[in-house]
Each structure stands twice: as C-alpha cells, then as structure tokens.
C-alpha cells in the first residue's frame, strides 16, 4: 500500500526542503510511522491552498506539515490525534523595549501570518476589545519578520517552535518578548480526507501513538529542536472535532 | 449548491474589503505605468543614444525579472537606503514600475506603426519635435496600441494579488485568509474569480467603447 | 556563507529553471495554436463563431490563474488522472491563448485588405490566403507584443506551484524559508536566472524580427 | 474580331446594403476581345471588375465564363479565379515576398507546380515585363511602375484566359505609366482577352475593341472605341469625353 | 514679376550616405514668383523641396529665407518652417483629427492662438479650398482630392510667405486633379510665392514664371516656362519634354 503525502515544505522545523529532500519533524515522523505500520509513503509538494482540494480530489492521502487543528477545519477534513501543542510567541527586535503588554496596545503594529490560528487568536482576543492596535497580515512568517527588522512592525506573533528557530538563527536581532498559551489549545496533527472507511485514520492514529511510545518521536523532535520538552501524545484534544469523538479510530476507548 | 451561495454571501464583505485595495492599487499602478511607459517608449524611439539605452536597459531588466522580486526590492530593499514605504504605496510603486516596462513596449509598437509622413507634416507646419510627438504621434500611437494594451491592463488587475506578499490585504489575499480558516479554498477562489470576471468584463466593455470611439479611420 | 549555500543549492535552482523553461515552452506552444485559432475565428469566423471565440477569450482573460489551475487539475481529475505538469501547461496555456488571441487579432487587422483580395484573385482559397499571405505578414507585426506576453508567461510559470509543479521560484522560496533572513539574496538569485532566460528569449525574438524583416518596414 | 464569347454578363446587380451599385449590367466578351471600361468616379467600374473575378458576391443576374456560371453551388470560385488574371490599381504585391516568390506562389500553391518548373515560368514572365533583374527584390524596393509590372507578371504566370485591369496606371507617376502601358499593349498584340478599366483615354482609344461607358451603376453607352470617343451618342458620354482635359487652356499668368 | 528675392539657394548639396542626391543647386526665388520644378524620377526634386523647408539637413551650400540662413546655430528651424507652407504628395493629413482640427492645430500649438480665433481662420481657409462643409469629417472620409485640398488649407492657415508643393496631384485620380489645380491657380492669382514640383506639365507651363529642369541631382536647365517647354536648350530637356505623351500615336489594333 502506497500513500501520497501532501506537503508544503516552507514551515521549518516541521516541514522544509534541504538539498531536494523533504525534511522536518512531520515528514520524518510519517516515514517512521510508515515503516512501523507497513505502508509506503511518497511526498508531493504543493501550495497550502491546494492541499485541501488535492486531498478531496484524491491526489494526496495525507496532509503532512505543522497543521493546526480547529473545529472549523474539521468540517472539511479529518485529523489524526494531535501530537504537539504549541504556544504563541511574541517576537520583537532585540534592541526594542517592547514587552508583552506594550506589544498589544498603544498604537502598536503587529504582524502575523494569515490563515494561521495565530491570526484567529489575535482577532478573537484582541481586536474589538477597544485596544489601540493594528494587525498586519502576511503571506509568510519570513516576510513578517523581515518587516519587524526594518521597523514597520513593533511585534510579530508566531508559533513557538518557528519563533525559536528564527531567534536561534539571529539572536542579535530578534528576541522573544513573551509567550501566550491560547485557549483552546493550539495543537498539530496530520490531516486526511473525510472518508467512511477509516482504515487510514486508524493506521495513522495507531502509528502516532506507537511512534511516541517507542521513543522515536522524542528522537525526531530533538533532532530538529534540541532543547524542546516533549509532551505526552496524544496531547489535549480540542472540542468539536469529529474524529476526536470516542472511541477514537484505531485507539479504542 | 445552496451551501455555496450561503458561504459566498457570508464572505462577500471581506472580499469586497479586499477589492478596494485591488482596485486602488490597480488604478494608481496602471496610471503611473502609463506615464512612465510613454516616456520610456518615446525615449526608446526618439531619444539620443544614452537615453535609448537607458530605456532599453530598464525595459529589459523589468521584463526579465519577476514582479515578486521587484516588489521585495521596493519593500525590503529601499529601507536599506532609508526609504520606508507603506505596503500599499510600495505595492503601487512596484506594480507601476513593472507595468511601465510592458506598456512601453506596446506604445513603441504603436509608434512604429505610424507612417513617417505624419512626423514630416507636423514639422512642416512648424511644430517642434516635442510638439509633434505629443500632439500628432502619441495620440495615434495610443489608438493603435489600444487593443493590445488592454491585455496589459487586465493582466495588471490580477497581478495586484502579488501585493499580498507584502501584507496588503487585497482581494486574493482575503480569499486565501478565508480559505485557510475554512479550508474551503476552491469555493472561495471561485467567488473571487467571479468578482474578477465582473471587473474584467466591465473594464473590457469600457476599453471596447474607447477603442470604437477613438478608432483611427484609415 | 550565503554564497556557499547558494552554490550548494545551484543544482536545485537550475533544476527549477529547467522546469520553468519546459513549462513556458509548453504553455506558449498551446497558447500560439489556440490563440491563433481564436484570433482567426474572431476575424474570419462565420455565424456564432466570433462570438464564441470572444466568450472564450473573455473567460480565460477574466478568471485568475489559480482558479484555472484548480479547475484543470482537480476538475479533469474527476475523469482522468492528469498530472500536475500537463494540467498546469493546459490551464496556463489556454489563459495565454486568450491573451495571444488579442495580439494576433490586432496584427491580422493591421494587414491591408488588398493583400487578401490579391491572394484570392490568383485563385487561392480563403484558408490558403490566410496561411500563406496574411499570417506571415501578421506574425511580423505580432512579434513585439508577443514578446511582452512570452516574458510575462515565463515568470507566471511560478503560479503552477499552486498545484505542485516545483519550478524556479519555488526552489528559491524553499531556500528562503530554510535560511531565514536572506530573502533578497535567494529571490535575487532566482531573478537573475529569470533575467538570463528573458534576455535569451528577447535576443531570439530580435533575431526572428530581423529574419522576418522585409524592406519597406521599420526594422528597428 | 470577337468570335466565341468567353464571358457573358447578364442583368448583373450588386448592392452594398441599401445602395445599388450595379444594376442590369449586361455584355459579352469575345475570345481575344479587349473591352475598355470608362466613366466618372463612383460609377461602379471597380465594383464591376471585382464581380467579374468573383471577388464580390453578386446580388442578381448571371456571369458566365465559358459554360460555367458564377455562384452556382458546384462552381469552384477559387478555380475560376485562377483562370482570370486581375491587376489592382494599387498593385497589392505580397509585401513579405520577393518579386520572384510573388510570381511563383500562385503556381506552387494553387497549381501545385514543382518549384523548379515554376521558376522557369517566373523568369519568362518577369522578362516579358522587363523585370528580369528584379527577381530577388522586395516590393518596397521597386518603383510604382515596377511594382505594377510585377503584379501583371504575377497574374500572367497563372496563364489566365482573361485579364482584368482596374485602373492599373492611376496610382503611378506619369513616367512609370509608360512602362505599364507598353506591357499591356504587348498583351493586346498577343491576343489576350482583356477588360481594362482606365482613365487613360488615349490608351483605351488605341487598344480597346469595344468600350463600355458607365454612369451610376449602369451602362450608359456601349460601342466600338471609335464611336465612343469620336462620335459619342449619349449626352453624358459627350460631356465626359469633352471634360477630360484638366489643363484648361486659359493662361492664368496673364490674369494676374 | 520677380522683385525682392524671398529665398536664395547657393551651391546646395545633399547626400544620403555615400550617394550625392543634390549637388551645386543654386537659384533665387523672388517675392510672388512661381517656380516650377520638373525632371525625371529620381532627379532629386522631392529632396530639394524638403531641403527648402528645412525638413532635411543639408550637407553643403546655403539656403537663405530673407536674411536668415538655414542651419545657423541660432536659427530656429521650427519658426522658419512655420513661415513656409508645404504640401505633400500623399497629403499626410493627421489621421486622428478632423479636417477642422487638422487646420487649427498649427495655429493653436505653434502660433499659440486662441481656439476661437483659430476657428474663424479655419472657416475662411476651408471655404477657400471649397471644403466648408467638411469641417467635422476625418481624413479617411474624404476623397484624395478633398484630402489634398484640406492639406493645402492646413498650410495656408499658417499664413506662409511661401508655399512648396511636392507633386500635389500625382497621388490623385484624374478627376480629383482638377479641384486641386484650381485651388493652386487661385493662389497664383493672389500672388503667393510658390515652388511647385509637378508632373502636370500643362499646369506648370500655364502658371510658372520660371522652371527648373533637374536631372541627376543638378539643375540641367533653368529658364522662363515658355523657353523650357517650347524651346528647350539642353539635350536632356528636349528629350524629356518630347517623351511626355504616353499614348503613342501608333494604333496597335492595326498591328494585330
Ligand atoms: N464596400 C463598399 N461599401 C459600400 N459602398 C461601396 C463599397 N465599395 C464601393 N462602394 C460604392 O459603390 C459605388 C461604386 O464604387 P466603385 O469603386 O465601383 O466606383 P468606380 O467607378 O470604380 O469609381 P473610381 O473611378 O473612383 O474608382 C460608389 O458610390 C462607392 O461609394
Ligand atoms: N532617405 C533616402 N535614403 C537614401 N536615398 C534616398 C532617400 N530619399 C531619396 N533618396 C534617393 O535620392 C534620389 C532623389 O530622390 P527624390 O525623391 O528627391 O527624387 P524625385 O526627383 O522626387 O523623384 P520622383 O519624381 O520619383 O518623386 C533618388 O535616387 C532616391 O533613391
Ligand atoms: Mg475604381
Ligand atoms: Mg518626388
């Protein structure tokens, strides 16, 4: 059995391309799961906006990237059990005295990548609360960060892991001003097409848990994020996601 | 199908918000490109050698590189020399500079199609070269270039979507945001496409009228 | 360091450039054939044909490329398992055809009507006259605007990544996302490759323009 | 001289929209006959010439070439036109082809002749019009008179049974006119059947067997050249023939 | 009639690349004089006409208008050209403008005249050439003769001191020629200084005071019109004058 994994490899450390190879936590983990569960996996790169139609058209079988689970998205696709929980970091220029509070008020210009749950969080929790803040939305994190360095932005919001990677590369230019733990929790998972036949969902759910239990999951995480604390898998499951209703496919109770 | 219309209706306001940016960038950029394009075309045809090569260099450099790269240079590169433009202005400038090169080539084609007697006749009644170019050559060149120039105008309408890369929430960007939220990418793109289609149809209708009104009678 | 990264990744950029060229050639070829057919239908067609051609032209000029790509990739997939590359070539090719039809239409209309009359007068059929008298002259008129279109399309091949055709621009953006902070360097490198390709194309078109040059017409 | 009628025109009518441009035009053209067509501007001479070659669809009446009727469903107009040479007022040489190719293209494309064979004919026809040294020139490199002679050669190469000339000299400067008329005169001598629309009255008078004088889309008078020019019957014909010299004799210098 | 010289041309030379097109051309043009220029094709007549209007840079010699020398550093050629009217063989009306705008554009753009004032002049000049009812027509809607008359009106509106005509009738059909010649004859009567390049020999003979016969870029013979046409001195002049009638008297019909 060969499954095609759709990947948008511009999201390190979860998915990227190095010398023509798909690397990152998500593809490494899926390769390991495939080996364990006895199926083959082939990767296919395409833009994020195309992944969903591709899944529905059967061009790909699995979405492999740092894919955040939301109830809204769960209406269109099924998610495997979540394997990572991420926080929201506020990044500011290294030489600025902006802190968590001033980043979110007082005429501050804040950048965030569109379509991310970070953006949703900002919209839901800050906008309309009568704070003096303008949100600028970006196609990619990198452009937002570039604008932070130029000074068009006072702060950017992004996933903790990505933020750490960026700061790791440029410690003298950017620093993390603080962290937000959104509620409901932001968790990553793999995505697959909604399907009456839940064989693939079962296999992947089982694979995710077994990978964690075998200890290989921690190895993969540490390969890309040496200092990260590895949480329990599955992590907290957001409410209103159909595929998380018990019994969970492949995991029994 | 019904669900589609509900979805489209719900998200229409956001798309129309984006449409405002699209239209304003498009109008300013096309107008800016028109003026610069005319100058480039005239420089390339009638200019002295340095001016001609300057125009050729500009046209080939711009046509040879992607708009996205040009936009990044305007947006992220200019601040290096102390010029920080807002995203909207940067988008207008970048797209304007870009379309100018293409428009210049269409105008040049128009100028080349004019019989040399027109210039001679203008000079013969005492016009300077500048006056002749302005009152005799360009009005005709523009009319000749119009059908092909309309390609550029329409193409540019859709190129405004590149502005999303530098955080201008234009029509296509709004559609992408909605798509990312709902994962109904295809549906929202279709709604956006319909808006573009309406716009393009309007623009083409106007240009058709202009073409008919100003057609050169040979 | 950045130079080294660039050097190490050159093969991938070049591989991307190869895909870009291939796709550009394929889509322009489709564009010429279909665009010419649309233009001929618009100028010489009978009955509903001009209207139909205009409709097709408006549609393909009006709908954003990304939607065309979706329609041709996922839409055709319902009946036939089409690959991303052919789908992209088809979608972008037909879009280009719409633009090219305007270029060819303008060029055909610029040929004096006496040329057609003279061709018919020596017994040529309409099709023969179009093929051997009108089009060769129209092509010359079309070269300039066609160059504009070709260069636009060369860079618009990057749209094909939407459905997974990994070309030059995408290879560059892989590098950008994997080497944060060097946006301009990598896109700059890609832009340079595009520039070389465009200059080669412009040069080829200029040569063609010279080859087709006929005394009595401005060749500059 | 006229013997077998090569072409027969009967009650020919032609309209553009509401406007009737030709009405009830009838005449016959014998083998070897030279028919001159004259008349004021707008009379319909060019339209008639174009109809005779099937370049315009007709709205009424009949045109026969031998026993083939124009416009019949099974009549191949393309094939008919190949049997009729047409020379335009403004030459209409194919601008993108050399003179030689202008002449061969009908042979190779329409008559499907081999290139080598066609080239022999080209040399013969271009020599006949005095352009044997212009084989590789492009139309724009020729003077008007040379262009017109090349376009005559193009028509002749198809070995037409009938040549139609629509004001072949009126776009030419006076000195180039001579060369073209000389070639036409040569054709007359060889016995070519011809329809000549022209304002060169002296020429028409000299070469035409029969002259049609057209006014307002109809034939006002038809007759032997001598009759039309020396003893015109119709009122309009007389006026036209007399009004032809522009250089009015009054010497304006004296009036200053 | 010639009195004060309005224009003086001295040893004028003009080259295109290696080719010398005009050499050592000298003559004077008096106020109110009408100078005819004739000669075979390629003699340099058009080139001369264009030089006289400063449309071509000259390579040697001098051209003076009154006391202003063409080509001097402080000479404004644009201003000079506004004093000289030029009528082209192929009219060159501005295709994108109505007849009225064609005539006013020089007044408003070059002479900076107010629109209303210019329009009065337009009416006057168009009436003079008989086109008062064509104000709002576009060039393409006019016949050749009408176009040429409009282009004469365009030149006249600038109130030129000198009019140059380069074969103003040779692109016209024979019937349109009359109207244009009539307008020119009117100008002669009004005493306009004119240089007329033309193949209309009868016309030149009738209106020109003095005729230049040009051959191969030089003046072969200059003299009063009567001398040139009735008693040409030069060998080439005689040949040219005699070779003008195309309709050779031999009746070819008899030769068949
Ligand atoms: N395509 C057309 N549409 C409408 N009217 C036309 C068309 N072609 C010709 N006519 C009209 O038909 C009439 C006859 O035109 P035609 O060209 O046959 O005249 P002609 O005798 O050749 O004149 P000339 O001596 O000026 O060439 C004219 O009144 C002309 O305006
Ligand atoms: N732009 C040019 N470049 C090179 N040669 C030219 C150019 N214009 C004219 N000539 C040449 O100069 C010579 C004189 O040309 P000109 O047009 O002045 O002759 P013309 O006496 O007006 O002839 P015609 O009666 O045919 O109009 C010709 O041999 C012509 O080929
Ligand atoms: Mg006619
Ligand atoms: Mg001349």
């Amino acid at each position: 059995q060969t499954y095609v994994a759709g990947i948008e490899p511009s999201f390190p450390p979860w998915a990227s391309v190095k010398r023509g190879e798909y690397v990152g936590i998500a593809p490494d983990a899926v390769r390991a799961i495939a080996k364990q569960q006895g199926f083959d996996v082939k990767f296919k790169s395409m833009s994020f906006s195309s992944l969903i139609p591709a899944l529905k058209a059967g061009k790909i079988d699995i979405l492999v990237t740092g894919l955040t689970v939301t109830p809204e998205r769960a209406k269109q696709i099924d998610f495997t059990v979540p394997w990572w929980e991420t926080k929201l970091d506020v990044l500011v220029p290294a030489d600025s005295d902006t802190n968590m509070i001033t980043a979110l008020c007082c005429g501050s210009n804040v950048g965030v990548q569109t379509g991310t749950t970070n953006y949703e969080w900002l919209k839901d929790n800050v906008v309309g609360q009568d704070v003096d803040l303008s949100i600028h939305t970006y196609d990619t994190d990198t452009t937002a960060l570039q604008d932070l360095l130029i000074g068009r932005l006072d702060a950017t919001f992004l996933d903790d892991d990505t933020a750490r990677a960026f700061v790791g590369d440029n410690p003298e230019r950017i620093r993390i001003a603080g962290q937000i733990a959104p509620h409901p929790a932001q968790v990553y998972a793999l995505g697959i097409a909604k399907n009456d036949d839940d064989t693939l969902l079962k296999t992947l759910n089982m694979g995710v848990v077994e990978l964690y239990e075998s200890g290989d999951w921690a190895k993969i995480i540490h390969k890309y994020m040496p200092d990260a604390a590895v949480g329990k898998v599955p992590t907290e499951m957001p409410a209103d996601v159909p595929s998380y209703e018990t019994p969970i496919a492949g995991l029994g109770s | 199908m019904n669900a589609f219309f509900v979805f489209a209706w719900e998200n229409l306001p956001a798309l129309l918000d984006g449409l405002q940016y699209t239209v304003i960038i498009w109008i300013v950029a096309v107008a800016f490109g028109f003026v610069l394009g005319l100058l480039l075309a005239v420089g390339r045809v009638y200019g002295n050698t340095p001016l001609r090569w300057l125009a050729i260099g500009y046209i080939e450099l711009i046509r040879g590189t992607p708009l996205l790269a040009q936009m990044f240079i305007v947006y992220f590169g200019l601040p290096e020399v102390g010029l920080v433009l807002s995203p909207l202005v940067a988008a207008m400038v970048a797209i304007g500079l870009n379309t100018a090169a293409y428009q210049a080539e269409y105008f040049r084609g128009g100028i080349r199609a004019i019989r040399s007697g027109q210039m001679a006749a203008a000079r013969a009644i005492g016009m300077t070269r500048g006056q002749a170019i302005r009152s005799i050559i360009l009005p005709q060149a523009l009319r000749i270039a119009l059908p092909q120039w309309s390609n550029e105008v329409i193409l540019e309408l859709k190129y405004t979507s590149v502005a999303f890369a530098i955080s201008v929430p234009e029509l296509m960007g709004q559609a992408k945001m909605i798509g990312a939220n709902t994962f109904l990418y295809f549906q929202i793109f279709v709604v956006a496409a319909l808006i573009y289609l309406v716009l393009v149809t309007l623009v083409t209708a106007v240009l058709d009228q202009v073409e008919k009104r100003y057609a050169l009678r040979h | 360091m950045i130079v080294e990264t660039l050097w190490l990744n050159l093969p991938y950029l070049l591989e991307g450039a190869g895909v870009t060229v291939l796709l550009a050639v394929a889509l322009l070829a489709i564009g010429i054939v279909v665009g010419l057919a649309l233009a001929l239908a618009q100028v010489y067609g009978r009955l509903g044909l001009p209207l139909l051609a205009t409709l097709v032209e408006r549609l393909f000029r009006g709908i954003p490329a990304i939607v065309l790509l979706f329609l041709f990739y996922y839409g055709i997939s319902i009946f036939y398992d089409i690959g991303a590359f052919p789908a992209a070539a088809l979608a972008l090719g037909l879009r280009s055809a719409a633009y090219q039809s305007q270029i060819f239409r303008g060029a055909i209309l610029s040929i004096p009507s006496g040329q057609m009359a003279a061709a018919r007068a020596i017994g040529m059929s309409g099709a023969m006259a179009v093929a051997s008298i009108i089009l060769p002259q129209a092509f010359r008129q079309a070269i300039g605007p066609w160059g504009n279109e070709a260069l636009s399309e060369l860079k618009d091949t990057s749209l094909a990544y939407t459905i997974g055709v990994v070309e030059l621009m995408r290879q560059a953006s892989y590098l950008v996302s994997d080497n944060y902070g060097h946006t301009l360097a990598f896109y700059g490198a890609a832009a340079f490759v595009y520039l070389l390709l465009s200059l080669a194309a412009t040069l080829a078109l200029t040569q063609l323009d010279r080859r087709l040059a006929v005394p009595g017409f401005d060749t500059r | 001289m006229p013997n077998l009628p090569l072409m027969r025109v009967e009650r020919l009518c032609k309209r553009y929209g509401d406007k009737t441009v030709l009405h009830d035009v009838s005449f016959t053209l014998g083998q070897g006959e030279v028919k001159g067509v004259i008349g004021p501007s707008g009379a319909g001479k060019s339209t008639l010439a174009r109809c005779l070659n099937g370049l315009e669809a007709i709205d009424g009446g009949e045109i026969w070439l031998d026993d083939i009727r124009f416009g019949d469903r099974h009549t191949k107009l393309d094939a008919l036109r190949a049997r009729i040479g047409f020379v335009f007022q403004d030459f209409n040489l194919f601008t993108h082809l050399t003179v030689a190719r202008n002449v061969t293209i009908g042979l190779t494309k329409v008559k499907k002749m081999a290139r080598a064979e066609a080239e022999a004919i080209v040399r013969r026809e271009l020599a006949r019009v005095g352009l044997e040294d212009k084989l590789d020139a492009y139309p724009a490199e020729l003077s008007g008179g040379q262009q017109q002679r090349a376009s005559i050669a193009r028509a002749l190469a198809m070995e037409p049974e009938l040549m139609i000339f629509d004001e072949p000299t009126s776009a030419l400067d006076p000195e180039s006119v001579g060369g073209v008329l000389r070639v036409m005169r040569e054709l007359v001598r060889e016995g070519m059947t011809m329809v000549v629309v022209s304002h060169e009255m002296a020429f028409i008078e000299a070469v035409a067997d029969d002259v049609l004088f057209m006014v307002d889309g109809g034939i006002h008078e038809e007759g032997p050249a001598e009759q039309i020019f020396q003893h015109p019957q119709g009122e309009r014909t007389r006026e036209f023939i007399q009004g032809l010299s522009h250089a009015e004799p009054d010497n304006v210098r004296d009036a200053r």
Side-chain angles (χ1 to χ4, degrees), chain A residues 2 9 31 45 59 90 97 119 127 154 201 225 241 244-245:
Chain A
T2 300
R31 281 192 204 101
S45 160
K59 291 278 178 193
V90 181
D97 51 7
Y119 173 65
V127 179
D154 299 309
L201 185 60
M225 300 189 288
V241 174
Y244 294 167
E245 281 163 18

Side-chain angles (χ1 to χ4, degrees), chain B residues 56-196:
Chain B
I56 291 176
Y58 181 89
I59 291 168
E60 294 309 332
L61 184 69
I62 293 287
R63 293 200 310 164
T65 51
L67 174 57
L68 182 65
Q70 292 157 15
M71 194 167 297
F72 278 168
I73 286 170
V74 169
Y75 192 66
F76 294 128
L78 286 185
E80 305 272 331
V81 296
L83 188 60
V84 183
L85 300 177
S86 79
L88 189 62
V89 173
M92 289 168 177
V93 170
I95 297 178
L97 290 173
N98 180 275
T99 179
Y102 289 91
Q103 292 191 36
E105 283 301 274
Y106 287 121
F107 297 149
R108 187 168 70 100
I111 293 173
R112 274 178 55 166
I114 298 172
R115 297 188 10 248
S116 57
Q118 296 286 313
M119 176 58 109
R123 302 305 299 279
I125 57 170
M127 286 192 182
T128 61
R129 241 159 87 91
Q131 278 176 329
I133 292 171
R134 246 177 296 132
S135 332
I136 305 301
I137 303 297
L138 290 185
Q140 296 184 49
L142 290 179
R143 287 162 158 92
I144 294 169
L146 192 63
Q148 292 160 342
W149 180 76
S150 77
N151 261 358
E152 177 62 17
V153 174
I154 290 167
L155 209 52
E156 230 38 65
L157 179 62
K158 284 168 291 164
Y159 277 146
T160 54
S161 66
V162 176
F164 185 55
I166 57 169
S167 88
V168 179
E170 47 68 60
L171 179 53
M172 211 60 194
Q174 292 282 3
K176 277 188 195 162
M177 286 196 249
I178 295 164
N181 263 335
T182 59
F183 271 12
L184 291 168
Y185 276 107
F186 185 61
Q187 288 83 338
I188 196 68
F189 285 159
V190 167
V191 181
L194 290 176
I195 296 179
Y196 279 112

Side-chain angles (χ1 to χ4, degrees), chain A:
Chain A
Q1 176 74 329
T2 300
Y3 290 113
V4 181
I7 181 170
E8 156 68 314
S10 48
F11 191 52
W14 285 88
S16 64
V17 173
K18 264 207 166 62
R19 309 276 167 76
E21 289 294 319
Y22 298 111
V23 296
I25 298 169
D28 279 10
V30 167
R31 281 192 204 101
I33 291 170
K35 208 161 157 197
Q36 271 175 18
Q37 304 295 325
F39 62 87
D40 286 330
V41 61
K42 234 177 61 193
F43 289 91
K44 199 164 171 177
S45 160
M46 56 182 72
S47 76
F48 197 80
S49 55
S50 185
L51 287 172
I52 311 302
L55 197 61
K56 289 189 172 171
K59 291 278 178 193
I60 56 176
D61 303 301
I62 319 173
L63 292 190
V64 179
T65 180
L67 185 65
T68 312
V69 179
T70 71
E72 188 72 25
R73 291 174 173 181
K75 288 178 192 160
Q76 306 303 325
I77 63 172
D78 275 348
F79 289 102
T80 63
V81 287
W83 58 9
W84 191 256
E85 179 174 345
T86 181
K87 307 277 194 296
L88 237 177
D89 280 3
V90 181
L91 286 192
V92 296
D95 55 6
S96 107
D97 51 7
T98 314
N99 59 34
M100 275 294 286
I101 310 297
T102 52
L104 290 177
C105 73
C106 325
S108 162
N109 287 299
V110 176
V112 62
Q113 185 184 352
T114 43
T116 58
T117 45
N118 306 342
Y119 173 65
E120 293 302 305
W121 183 87
L122 266 179
K123 242 175 44 183
D124 295 346
N125 295 279
V126 183
V127 179
Q129 310 280 315
D130 203 23
V131 284
D132 181 14
L133 171 88
S134 30
I135 301 179
H136 303 266
T137 52
Y138 288 81
D139 212 7
T140 62
D141 282 331
T142 40
T143 37
L145 280 159
Q146 194 109 33
D147 248 0
L148 184 71
L149 293 176
I150 284 169
R152 285 196 187 93
L153 296 178
D154 299 309
T156 62
F157 278 65
L158 64 170
D159 287 359
D160 181 46
D161 316 314
T162 319
R164 278 172 199 286
F166 283 138
V167 175
D169 277 355
N170 301 268
E172 69 294 343
R173 300 170 77 188
I174 319 174
R175 67 185 172 82
I176 297 176
Q179 198 172 61
I180 296 165
H183 182 81
Q186 262 195 39
V187 296
Y188 292 166
L190 296 167
I192 62 170
K194 275 191 183 303
N195 199 333
D196 293 337
D197 169 19
D198 57 359
T199 324
L200 180 58
L201 185 60
K202 277 182 187 154
T203 312
L204 289 177
N205 277 344
M206 257 171 352
V208 167
V209 173
E210 279 174 26
L211 183 70
Y212 168 69
E213 283 166 355
S214 70
D216 288 346
W217 173 244
K219 280 185 205 150
I220 293 172
I221 296 285
H222 285 141
K223 180 175 164 198
Y224 292 98
M225 300 189 288
D227 318 322
V230 180
K232 181 181 166 310
V233 174
T235 65
E236 186 186 332
M237 300 194 214
D240 302 328
V241 174
S243 59
Y244 294 167
E245 281 163 18
T246 49
I248 292 175
L251 300 183
S253 55

Side-chain angles (χ1 to χ4, degrees), chain C residues 7 28 60 71 77 84 90 92 96 98 116 124 126 140 145 149 175 183-185 192:
Chain C
W7 178 247
L28 287 173
F60 277 91
L71 283 173
S77 287
L90 212 55
L92 297 179
S96 178
M116 177 58 115
M124 287 192 180
R140 219 194 77 78
E149 166 65 11
L175 291 180
T183 313
L184 285 179
F192 184 68

Side-chain angles (χ1 to χ4, degrees), chain B residues 146 150 201-215, chain C residues 58:
Chain B
L146 192 63
S150 77
T201 307
L202 280 176
V203 173
T204 329
V206 171
L207 288 176
D208 271 0
Q209 285 309 310
V210 175
E211 194 179 326
K212 285 213 185 80
R213 167 112 167 55
Y214 287 104
Chain C
R58 289 291 145 86

